[in-house]
């Protein structure tokens, strides 16, 4: 037996949905300037070098998503209704958000508590490969993007006991995402409009992490 809070609710739900034309079963500077400027020599070269450096720095900053696993509290579930257990988080990363489909992963990360470690348990992860297609934001009327996410278990990248993902080898969910001006992102269930995670967004992708929940053996 085990207790799962918000995380189980969004993974267990499997919705058959349609949006637009989707099938209901679908987962969820020029050469002339160079010649003219040839006599300008040093001044023109200096400007070109300066611009190149500035552009490279800007692109790197834009494309980098923060690592949401840094600073996570791994000891939330040391004490509770069970003895052996783990503190767990759901982590999602979606890339290629400028096009379709969106590609990414969702992971269920387990941090073993001391009782489980004493019994031979260890930190582990369940990983799904996810394809997302754009859809309506539904109940989140001020969101910027709606996603139908269709996930398949990546067994090679999964290290947790099978009991953790039995029945969840594949699933589908609808999300809505709001992009905040400070670079953060708020994630909601599109159908209900309830928020479930926070993360960040850039031109290259977006991510999220949920609050902690407990798994008890």
């Amino acid at each position: 037996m085990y207790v799962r809070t918000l995380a189980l609710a969004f993974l267990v739900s499997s919705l058959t949905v349609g949006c637009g034309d989707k099938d209901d079963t679908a987962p969820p500077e020029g050469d002339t300037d160079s010649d003219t400027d040839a006599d300008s020599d040093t001044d023109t070269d200096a400007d070109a070098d300066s611009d190149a450096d500035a552009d490279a720095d800007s692109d790197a900053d834009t494309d980098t998503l923060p690592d949401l696993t840094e600073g996570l509290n791994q000891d939330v579930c040391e004490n509770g209704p069970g003895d052996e257990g783990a503190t767990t988080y759901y982590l999602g990363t979606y890339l290629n958000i400028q096009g379709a489909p969106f590609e990414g992963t969702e992971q269920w990360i387990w941090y073993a508590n001391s009782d489980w470690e004493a019994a031979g348990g260890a930190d582990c992860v369940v990983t799904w490969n996810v394809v997302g297609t754009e859809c309506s934001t539904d109940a989140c009327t001020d969101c910027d993007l709606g996603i139908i996410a269709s996930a398949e278990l990546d067994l090679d990248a999964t290290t947790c006991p099978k009991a953790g993902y039995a029945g969840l080898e594949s699933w589908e969910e609808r999300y809505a995402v709001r992009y905040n001006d400070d670079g953060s992102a708020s994630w909601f269930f599109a159908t209900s409009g309830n928020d479930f995670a926070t993360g960040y967004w850039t031109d290259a992708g977006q991510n999220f992490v949920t609050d902690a929940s407990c798994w008890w053996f």
Side-chain angles (χ1 to χ4, degrees), residues 105-108 124-129 153-160 165:
T105 60
E106 292 202 19
Q107 294 181 304
W108 189 15
C124 63
V125 64
V126 182
T127 301
W128 293 268
N129 294 318
L153 181 71
D154 185 342
L155 194 56
D156 291 337
T158 294
T159 57
C160 288
Y165 56 83

Side-chain angles (χ1 to χ4, degrees), residues 29-48:
E29 280 142 287
D31 293 336
T32 302
D33 291 342
S34 176
D35 294 342
T36 303
D37 294 340
D39 294 336
S40 300
D41 295 332
T42 305
D43 292 343
T44 300
D45 292 341
D47 290 342

